[in-house]
Amino acid sequence: MDDALFTYEMAVRDYECDLQGIVNNSVYQNYFEHVRHEYLKSIGIDFKDYTDRGIHLVVVRAEIDYKQPLTSGDTFTVTLKLQRETKLRFVFYQEIIRHSDSKLAVKAKMVGVALNSNGRPHIPAEIEKIFSHPIA
Amino acid sequence: MDDALFTYEMAVRDYECDLQGIVNNSVYQNYFEHVRHEYLKSIGIDFKDYTDRGIHLVVVRAEIDYKQPLTSGDTFTVTLKLQRETKLRFVFYQEIIRHSDSKLAVKAKMVGVALNSNGRPHIPAEIEKIFSHPIA
Amino acid sequence: MDDALFTYEMAVRDYECDLQGIVNNSVYQNYFEHVRHEYLKSIGIDFKDYTDRGIHLVVVRAEIDYKQPLTSGDTFTVTLKLQRETKLRFVFYQEIIRHSDSKLAVKAKMVGVALNSNGRPHIPAEIEKIFSHPIA
Amino acid sequence: MDDALFTYEMAVRDYECDLQGIVNNSVYQNYFEHVRHEYLKSIGIDFKDYTDRGIHLVVVRAEIDYKQPLTSGDTFTVTLKLQRETKLRFVFYQEIIRHSDSKLAVKAKMVGVALNSNGRPHIPAEIEKIFSHPIA
């Protein structure tokens, strides 16, 4: 994870666990989304503000590998890397590292696009700027 | 969808929509999971009962394509097909068809395994039986 | 429940259960909200449409008694009664009846108001109309 | 809040907001639950461990007043006070203070009991101990 663009510390909340006693699969998407939004905020992009201005950042494809479950009491680090896939699609690579054993718990590739209020692709200047410099 | 193994009708609930006014990405995993469990129930497999007996049906990989958003008021059909990928891995192919325009809203490939209480792969007899007959 | 204004049938979804193996407390609020919105829809009031028009129906107080837990596999009926508490506050009385034993599982008193986009109380004509006739 | 027994800092996550653009009512129950569990952990009581041992800490009544909404970007403090209501019932008084204006956003009274695996009230020694000393 040394080369991650952004890292974020989190902890499992008990209500996120399901009847198997582990974090429900859907919740990892919440974690990943939250960390993407925190990353965006860190570079000056506010998700809600974008939404209010009619710029919709949406995920069009998710690939998620569940390697190890998280459970009550677990703390973990979420990492993020970003790549431009095409002119209009950008990809977040995200990993969840469980603190108890430093194991990779979940990894994801999330493909996003930006749409204007007509549903047409539209990459805002702030996002163009991210890609104007090489990213580790 | 004519060849789906199982279909299930659902409706968006308002609390499932996020600040973009559309169903949050994570919620589709809830829909897909619910329909898998309903399918399993329809063939005599109860998810909670399995869990209580130490048989854990878990998703190890999800691939989800978000094509069209669902929003407040939408009703939709979730379909399911099932294939054995390897001796130990089975794959659910699932689609969400939006009723308003009959469009494919979301499609997913969910790879599952069954684990015993030691975390070892273990396909229960009921699940073996599913695959002993050709599936449409 | 013979005198309920509106009733709605639902079923527990497994992802709604937490690590105690029962439906998490917060989820009953989802159930109650969904049924309030379905009731409103049944009388011609669309929650999202109201929101888009700047009319915000909000809950200002909830009183919830958890009597019996719901768990995986449970089906249940949610009932709703409505009373005007003051000129500006209306009260939904809601109950969840578990089908397996016809027991009252959860009961709630939810106090709501309607606010305009300035956050000022504003009861829309459609809602005034509800109260213009005696309600059983 | 100077006399709170326990305080905990949190931040709204965007997926917790609904189509009104504010945190959904049900989510405050998640916040309150999480903070109760963190408090219990701070005094040596682990919720999941209790559950695994057949001791079920459950909420039997919730009274929640929604004063001000939280929205995307809000940070807030959750406070907790604890009182014994009867031999078998204990009450958590919880408040959410919004940082942006130090206003009380939500306040709650949550009544809890402890049940053994037969569903009978049973206050574990660790919880008895909390009440054996005066609480600020």
Side-chain angles (χ1 to χ4, degrees):
Chain A
M1 284 309 98
D2 294 344
D3 59 346
L5 186 60
F6 187 74
T7 64
Y8 194 83
E9 308 293 309
M10 299 184 78
V12 170
R13 299 176 181 176
D14 286 345
Y15 65 80
E16 297 169 335
C17 297
D18 64 19
L19 56 78
Q20 286 185 328
I22 55 179
V23 170
N24 187 268
N25 286 332
S26 68
V27 174
Y28 297 105
Q29 291 228 31
N30 294 153
Y31 296 160
F32 286 129
E33 180 194 291
H34 181 55
V35 173
R36 288 196 305 276
H37 291 200
E38 288 295 308
Y39 162 68
L40 291 171
K41 196 179 293 179
S42 78
I43 58 166
I45 295 173
D46 184 82
F47 181 82
K48 184 180 191 311
D49 175 54
Y50 262 44
T51 301
D52 292 345
R53 288 161 50 198
I55 304 168
H56 298 286
L57 303 179
V58 300
V59 169
V60 294
R61 178 170 170 83
E63 294 176 26
I64 307 171
D65 288 290
Y66 303 94
K67 302 286 194 183
Q68 303 288 338
L70 294 181
T71 188
S72 177
D74 272 327
T75 57
F76 56 95
T77 300
V78 185
T79 69
L80 178 153
K81 289 198 267 186
L82 182 55
Q83 274 187 3
R84 189 159 201 165
E85 199 180 58
T86 69
K87 190 167 162 17
L88 296 172
R89 291 159 70 100
F90 35 94
V91 181
F92 291 94
Y93 291 95
Q94 298 190 265
E95 293 188 357
I96 291 175
I97 311 294
R98 188 166 63 179
H99 288 172
S100 62
D101 57 6
S102 302
K103 277 197 180 167
L104 175 63
V106 185
K107 84 187 242 201
K109 177 185 176 183
M110 312 297 281
V111 184
V113 297
L115 305 174
N116 64 19
S117 40
N118 299 320
R120 296 254 153 226
H122 166 78
I123 306 282
E126 295 93 330
I127 290 187
E128 276 298 349
K129 216 173 72 181
I130 303 175
F131 294 110
S132 64
H133 304 292
I135 291 165
Chain B
M1 285 307 98
D2 295 345
D3 59 346
L5 185 61
F6 188 73
T7 65
Y8 194 83
E9 307 294 308
M10 300 182 79
V12 170
R13 300 175 181 176
D14 287 345
Y15 65 81
E16 296 168 336
C17 297
D18 63 20
L19 53 81
Q20 285 187 326
I22 55 178
V23 170
N24 186 268
N25 287 333
S26 68
V27 174
Y28 297 105
Q29 289 229 33
N30 295 151
Y31 295 161
F32 286 131
E33 179 194 291
H34 182 54
V35 173
R36 289 195 305 275
H37 291 201
E38 288 296 309
Y39 162 67
L40 290 172
K41 198 180 287 179
S42 78
I43 58 166
I45 294 174
D46 184 82
F47 181 80
K48 183 180 193 309
D49 175 53
Y50 262 44
T51 301
D52 291 344
R53 286 160 51 200
I55 303 169
H56 299 287
L57 303 178
V58 300
V59 169
V60 294
R61 179 171 168 83
E63 293 175 27
I64 307 172
D65 288 292
Y66 304 95
K67 303 284 196 183
Q68 303 288 340
L70 296 180
T71 188
S72 178
D74 272 328
T75 58
F76 56 94
T77 300
V78 186
T79 68
L80 177 154
K81 289 199 266 187
L82 183 54
Q83 274 186 3
R84 188 160 203 164
E85 198 180 57
T86 67
K87 191 167 162 14
L88 297 172
R89 290 160 72 101
F90 36 94
V91 181
F92 292 95
Y93 292 95
Q94 299 191 264
E95 293 189 358
I96 290 175
I97 311 295
R98 190 166 62 178
H99 287 172
S100 61
D101 57 7
S102 301
K103 277 199 180 164
L104 175 63
V106 186
K107 83 185 242 202
K109 176 185 176 182
M110 311 298 280
V111 184
V113 297
L115 304 175
N116 64 18
S117 40
N118 300 319
R120 298 253 150 224
H122 166 78
I123 307 283
E126 294 94 330
I127 290 186
E128 276 297 350
K129 217 172 71 180
I130 304 174
F131 294 110
S132 64
H133 305 290
I135 292 165
Chain C
M1 284 309 97
D2 293 345
D3 59 347
L5 184 61
F6 187 74
T7 64
Y8 194 83
E9 306 295 307
M10 299 183 79
V12 170
R13 300 175 181 176
D14 287 344
Y15 65 81
E16 296 168 337
C17 297
D18 64 19
L19 54 79
Q20 285 185 328
I22 55 178
V23 171
N24 186 268
N25 286 334
S26 68
V27 174
Y28 297 105
Q29 290 229 31
N30 295 152
Y31 295 160
F32 286 130
E33 179 195 291
H34 182 54
V35 173
R36 289 194 306 274
H37 292 201
E38 288 296 308
Y39 161 67
L40 290 171
K41 197 179 291 179
S42 78
I43 59 166
I45 294 174
D46 184 81
F47 181 82
K48 184 181 191 312
D49 176 52
Y50 262 42
T51 302
D52 292 344
R53 286 162 51 201
I55 305 168
H56 298 287
L57 304 177
V58 300
V59 169
V60 294
R61 180 172 167 83
E63 294 175 25
I64 307 171
D65 288 291
Y66 303 96
K67 301 285 195 183
Q68 302 289 337
L70 295 181
T71 188
S72 178
D74 272 328
T75 58
F76 55 95
T77 299
V78 185
T79 68
L80 178 153
K81 289 198 267 186
L82 182 55
Q83 275 187 4
R84 189 159 203 165
E85 199 180 56
T86 68
K87 190 167 160 20
L88 296 173
R89 292 159 70 101
F90 35 94
V91 181
F92 292 95
Y93 291 94
Q94 300 192 263
E95 293 189 357
I96 291 175
I97 311 295
R98 188 167 64 178
H99 289 172
S100 61
D101 57 6
S102 301
K103 277 196 180 166
L104 174 62
V106 186
K107 85 186 242 201
K109 176 184 176 183
M110 312 297 282
V111 184
V113 299
L115 304 176
N116 64 18
S117 39
N118 300 320
R120 296 254 152 225
H122 166 78
I123 306 283
E126 295 94 330
I127 291 186
E128 277 296 352
K129 217 172 71 181
I130 303 174
F131 295 109
S132 64
H133 305 290
I135 291 166
Chain D
M1 284 308 99
D2 295 344
D3 59 345
L5 186 59
F6 187 73
T7 64
Y8 194 83
E9 308 294 309
M10 299 184 79
V12 171
R13 299 176 181 176
D14 287 344
Y15 65 82
E16 296 167 337
C17 298
D18 64 19
L19 54 80
Q20 285 185 327
I22 54 177
V23 170
N24 186 267
N25 286 333
S26 68
V27 174
Y28 297 105
Q29 291 228 30
N30 294 152
Y31 295 160
F32 286 129
E33 179 195 291
H34 181 53
V35 173
R36 289 195 304 276
H37 291 201
E38 289 295 309
Y39 162 66
L40 290 171
K41 196 180 292 179
S42 78
I43 59 166
I45 294 174
D46 184 83
F47 181 81
K48 183 180 194 306
D49 175 54
Y50 262 43
T51 302
D52 292 344
R53 287 160 51 198
I55 304 168
H56 299 288
L57 303 178
V58 301
V59 169
V60 294
R61 179 171 169 83
E63 294 175 27
I64 306 172
D65 289 291
Y66 303 95
K67 302 286 195 182
Q68 302 289 337
L70 295 181
T71 188
S72 178
D74 272 329
T75 58
F76 55 95
T77 299
V78 186
T79 67
L80 179 154
K81 289 199 263 185
L82 183 54
Q83 275 186 3
R84 189 160 203 164
E85 199 179 58
T86 67
K87 190 168 161 16
L88 297 173
R89 291 159 71 103
F90 35 96
V91 182
F92 291 95
Y93 292 95
Q94 299 191 264
E95 294 189 357
I96 290 176
I97 312 295
R98 191 166 61 177
H99 288 173
S100 61
D101 57 6
S102 301
K103 276 197 180 167
L104 174 63
V106 186
K107 82 186 243 203
K109 177 185 176 183
M110 313 296 281
V111 184
V113 299
L115 305 175
N116 64 18
S117 39
N118 300 321
R120 295 255 152 223
H122 166 78
I123 307 283
E126 294 93 332
I127 290 186
E128 277 297 350
K129 218 173 69 181
I130 303 174
F131 295 109
S132 64
H133 305 290
I135 291 167

